[in-house]
Amino acid sequence: MQNDRQPQSIRHLSKSLPGQVVLVLQGGGALGSYQAGVYQALHEEGIEPDWIIGTSIGAINASLIAGNEYPDSGSRG
């Protein structure tokens, strides 16, 4: 039996769920290297977290994300 439902985009899902969007970043040195890419992918889909929390390297990345506006990738000077 084939599934006739089409996969929904992450943007559609985030808009249809009640509550707030929370980005949780885990610790562990090497794991911190991909966290900026995850945030960038969410931003490109129009998903901005209401809260950003983390542990260890995740806390450092969370503070960098929360303390700075997302750079405009269209303006390269």
Side-chain angles (χ1 to χ4, degrees):
M1 178 161 131
Q2 185 176 0
N3 186 356
D4 293 330
R5 291 179 40 184
Q6 294 295 321
Q8 295 178 338
S9 72
I10 192 168
R11 179 184 300 159
H12 174 74
L13 289 174
S14 72
K15 301 300 181 198
S16 65
L17 295 174
Q20 297 182 341
V21 175
V22 179
L23 178 60
V24 181
L25 304 175
Q26 66 189 44
L31 298 174
S33 62
Y34 73 85
Q35 293 171 347
V38 170
Y39 176 70
Q40 179 180 356
L42 291 172
H43 181 80
E44 289 172 358
E45 288 295 322
I47 300 170
E48 293 297 327
D50 298 302
W51 295 89
I52 304 173
I53 59 174
T55 301
S56 188
I57 190 67
I60 294 169
N61 287 339
S63 66
L64 291 172
I65 291 170
N68 296 292
E69 290 187 32
Y70 187 80
D72 183 10
S73 60
S75 63
R76 301 203 182 235

